[in-house]
Amino acid sequence: MKPLHIGLDFDGVISDCGRLKSEAARLMYGVDIPPENFKKELVVDAGLLTLEQYRDLQRRIYGTEEYGLLAEPVPQVKEHLNRLAADGHRVRIITTRDGETLEVAKKWCAKHGLELDFTGVGFGVTKAAAAEGCHLYCDDDLDKLEPLVGVVPNLFLFSWGYNRHSDPSGVARRIASWPDLYASIVAIATE
Ligand SMILES: [Mg+2]
């Protein structure tokens, strides 16, 4: 198996941010919004939260340990990260988190016994420079994948209910779960 350089997003690929947003909305505003609908465009346009409420929720889940550490890992992520390491691949987390939000993510990893190599590019910054040299990259946000076309040869969109409206054709391939992503990585490594 060829050793690969693998880039992964953090929120929505390692940690389950959809569930965390849903839980935070319940705690902060007493509103019940299912994780599969938790995307700014869906929640704010539907009038479930104001833009200000949405921003405040984001600040808390990404920037505070009180909320940030409540997140659950994405199902089966730990065992598959272990398998990737055992297969000899190099895994790097490329996230727009930086500063305080990156520190929260690192504390979350420590809580869950995950040792991950982070590159934090900063909010609103493209991941293209950081992802250069990766054989593949996976994100749950199509907007983050688009600038990587021509930079990273294999791009994957991690499917969740909240990104079901994104059409990745011409940019990325949808993967449904960690077992699905792992199988796709094995296929690339054995090409
Ligand atoms: Mg994400």
Side-chain angles (χ1 to χ4, degrees):
M1 204 182 286
K2 183 172 78 171
L4 300 176
H5 187 164
I6 298 167
L8 301 171
D9 180 31
F10 181 73
D11 297 285
V13 175
I14 307 293
S15 98
D16 188 343
C17 58
R19 257 174 85 187
L20 176 60
K21 286 176 182 172
S22 180
E23 174 71 359
R26 198 179 57 75
L27 293 170
M28 291 172 67
Y29 306 118
V31 184
D32 185 20
I33 303 168
E36 59 269 26
N37 290 337
F38 229 113
K39 184 103 182 140
K40 187 179 97 213
E41 294 74 17
L42 302 174
V43 167
V44 175
D45 291 356
L48 296 167
L49 295 179
T50 65
L51 185 57
E52 194 182 328
Q53 284 177 319
Y54 190 88
R55 296 268 186 238
D56 195 33
L57 182 146
Q58 279 190 307
R59 271 192 288 276
R60 290 213 213 172
I61 63 161
Y62 296 130
T64 72
E65 290 180 33
E66 184 194 356
Y67 280 82
L69 298 186
L70 295 176
E72 293 294 330
V74 169
Q76 303 183 75
V77 61
K78 283 195 210 180
E79 64 197 79
H80 287 98
L81 286 174
N82 287 337
R83 289 173 79 170
L84 292 176
D87 292 345
H89 302 307
R90 179 184 170 205
V91 173
R92 195 154 53 90
I93 307 304
I94 303 173
T95 172
T96 54
R97 287 177 181 250
D98 63 356
E100 192 57 37
T101 59
L102 189 54
E103 289 311 307
V104 172
K106 287 178 179 173
K107 291 217 170 78
W108 183 90
C109 287
K111 178 184 168 182
H112 290 279
L114 287 171
E115 274 185 50
L116 295 172
D117 176 10
F118 278 94
T119 301
V121 300
F123 183 73
V125 178
T126 163
K127 297 179 176 183
E132 224 163 288
C134 288
H135 294 97
L136 65 112
Y137 181 75
C138 180
D139 208 295
D140 66 328
D141 187 350
L142 187 60
D143 293 345
K144 305 282 171 51
L145 290 164
E146 280 165 347
L148 302 184
V149 173
V151 177
V152 178
N154 301 282
L155 296 170
F156 295 97
L157 177 66
F158 202 106
S159 276
W160 293 97
Y162 57 76
N163 65 31
R164 66 186 175 272
H165 302 297
S166 300
D167 175 10
S169 43
V171 175
R173 193 151 70 75
R174 275 190 183 274
I175 54 101
S177 62
W178 259 100
D180 189 12
L181 178 58
Y182 179 76
S184 300
I185 293 170
V186 169
I188 294 166
T190 52
E191 261 169 15

